[in-house]
């Protein structure tokens, strides 16, 4: 029977002010406000701004109430229970499980949903989008890390959403670029992630269908939204020896998890289990 795990939520502790981190790519991407390019277009496939997740928030996006307050020491125990359940379901990659035990998922959802943060359920994150179930996130990360014992090099995530998976990725890779097409979620993710001070995570606002050429080639590309096909540009931006994990519509007519391995002899595409991800859309909003 499904029940809420006992979690105590102490009163909001405003996060300590954090120093800002320099955005490594600010020289290669010119921030552009709004949907269209102004003046000289950046060479990037991303239309606007790049910011490290530790960067200070602009005032305008600080209007969301402090939802992500601490749950106290209890959250560690609840997270450990979540990881044990994932292990019982067969998930086993040590680095992925370690990341899942350390990243506080409740900081990425609205305070009203915080007591469900460690259940195996997807949750709304605003603007019609959802944070995937922990076991789906774990499965994708495990596929990404399969056969690897070292941290991955550079990784690209399509669909930052609330930033939860991006935070996990920052534990598994040396450098992470995460793109979101919805300005509201991009800002919210930055706000959620500020607490974690992840200087190897770079948040981008733009159309992830175009990938992010400046960071290429990537050791891995992981998408949290599914389209009719895998954009060729993602495969082009994948390093030889790299792996892409994404939901996509397949010959079955359904959305499946698809893995693409790139080697110097070509591409191997593997279709895995059916999944249900939000749609991959082009453009920004
Ligand atoms: N990894 C996220 C999951 C968010 S849901 C998390 O942990 O919360 C998928 C996200 O993909 C949504 O926020 C949606 O807006 C975004 N998305 C869809 N199409 C996109 C595109 N072309 N480029 C970038 N983001 C996209």
């Amino acid at each position: 029977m499904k029940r809420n795990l006992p979690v105590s939520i102490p009163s909001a502790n405003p996060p300590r002010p954090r120093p800002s981190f320099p955005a490594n790519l600010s020289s290669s991407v010119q921030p552009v406000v709004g949907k269209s390019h102004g003046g000289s277009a950046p060479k990037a496939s991303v239309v606007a701004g790049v910011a490290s997740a530790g960067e200070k928030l602009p005032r305008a996006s600080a209007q969301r109430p402090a939802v992500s307050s601490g749950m106290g020491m209890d959250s560690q125990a609840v997270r450990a229970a979540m990881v044990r359940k994932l292990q019982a379901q067969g998930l086993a990659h040590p680095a992925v499980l370690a990341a899942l035990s350390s990243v506080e998922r409740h900081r990425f959802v609205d305070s009203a949903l915080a007591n469900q943060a460690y259940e195996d359920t997807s949750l709304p994150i605003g603007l019609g989008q959802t944070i995937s179930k922990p076991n789906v996130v774990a499965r994708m990360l495990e596929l990404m890390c399969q056969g690897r014992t070292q941290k991955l090099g550079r990784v690209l995530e399509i669909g930052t959403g609330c930033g939860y998976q991006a935070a996990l990725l920052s534990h598994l890779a040396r450098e992470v670029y995460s793109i979101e097409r919805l300005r509201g979620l991009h800002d919210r993710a930055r706000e959620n992630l500020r607490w974690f001070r992840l200087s190897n995570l770079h948040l981008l606002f733009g159309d992830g269908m175009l990938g992010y050429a400046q960071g290429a080639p990537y050791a891995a590309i992981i998408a949290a939204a599914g389209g009719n096909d895998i954009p060729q540009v993602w495969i082009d931006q994948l390093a030889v020896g790299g792996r892409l994990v994404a939901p996509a519509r397949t010959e079955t007519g359904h959305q499946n998890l698809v893995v693409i391995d790139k080697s110097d002899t070509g591409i191997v595409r593997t279709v895995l289990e059916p999944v249900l991800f939000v749609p991959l859309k082009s453009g920004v909003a």
Side-chain angles (χ1 to χ4, degrees), residues 129-130 157 159-160 162 165 180-182 185 207-208 224 278 281:
Q129 308 301 315
T130 52
E157 180 192 37
T160 312
C162 65
Q165 182 170 277
E180 173 56 55
R181 66 176 289 276
L182 297 177
L185 283 180
D207 182 0
V278 296
K281 294 186 176 172

Side-chain angles (χ1 to χ4, degrees), residues 215-229:
Y218 296 100
I221 298 179
I222 189 160
N228 284 334
D229 214 342

Side-chain angles (χ1 to χ4, degrees), residues 55-277:
E55 196 173 280
K56 211 167 162 225
L57 268 185
R59 241 162 228 257
S61 51
Q63 61 208 4
R64 188 165 166 253
V67 293
S68 302
S69 56
M71 294 175 88
M73 291 304 288
D74 288 4
S75 85
Q76 178 61 57
V78 184
R79 234 171 3 265
M82 174 187 84
V83 168
R84 277 196 301 276
K85 275 191 207 162
L86 294 172
Q87 284 178 296
Q89 290 162 4
L91 293 145
H93 195 287
V96 173
L97 295 176
L100 284 156
S101 3
S102 84
V103 175
E104 298 166 306
R105 193 170 186 255
H106 66 271
R107 294 190 183 277
F108 294 88
V109 297
D110 200 83
S111 55
L113 300 171
N115 66 344
Q116 292 176 57
Y118 300 104
E119 291 180 19
D120 201 18
T121 178
S122 57
L123 293 169
I125 54 173
L127 302 178
Q129 308 301 315
T130 52
I131 178 175
S132 306
K133 288 161 72 149
N135 93 329
V136 172
V137 173
R139 166 80 169 137
M140 290 186 83
L141 294 177
E142 214 168 84
L143 285 167
M144 187 189 86
C145 294
Q146 204 171 36
R148 316 255 190 156
T149 48
Q150 306 281 321
K151 269 195 181 184
L152 295 167
R154 220 172 297 145
V155 167
L156 175 67
E157 180 192 37
I158 318 293
T160 312
C162 65
Y164 174 63
Q165 182 170 277
L168 294 168
L169 286 170
S170 80
H171 287 249
L172 300 169
R174 284 201 298 275
E175 209 78 46
V176 180
Y177 297 96
S178 179
I179 306 187
E180 173 56 55
R181 66 176 289 276
L182 297 177
R183 170 65 85 179
L185 283 180
H186 167 75
D187 288 344
R188 192 169 293 182
R190 193 148 38 122
E191 191 179 338
N192 291 341
L193 286 160
R194 194 162 40 133
W195 193 89
F196 294 90
R197 304 176 66 173
L198 303 168
S199 57
N200 67 337
L201 169 56
H202 309 283
L203 301 182
L204 306 149
F205 170 58
D207 182 0
M209 279 186 86
L210 307 173
Y212 185 62
Q214 280 86 339
Y218 296 100
I221 298 179
I222 189 160
N228 284 334
D229 214 342
I230 308 266
Q232 179 59 40
V233 71
W234 295 358
I235 300 170
D236 296 342
Q237 290 177 13
L238 199 60
V240 170
R243 174 171 271 199
L244 189 154
V245 185
R249 190 161 297 282
T250 59
E251 303 72 43
T252 62
H254 300 289
Q255 196 184 66
N256 289 72
L257 218 44
V258 174
V259 168
I260 291 180
D261 288 305
K262 186 169 177 175
S263 73
D264 46 14
T265 56
I267 298 297
V268 177
R269 186 172 184 268
T270 312
V271 175
L272 300 166
E273 68 268 23
V275 282
L276 203 57
F277 279 78

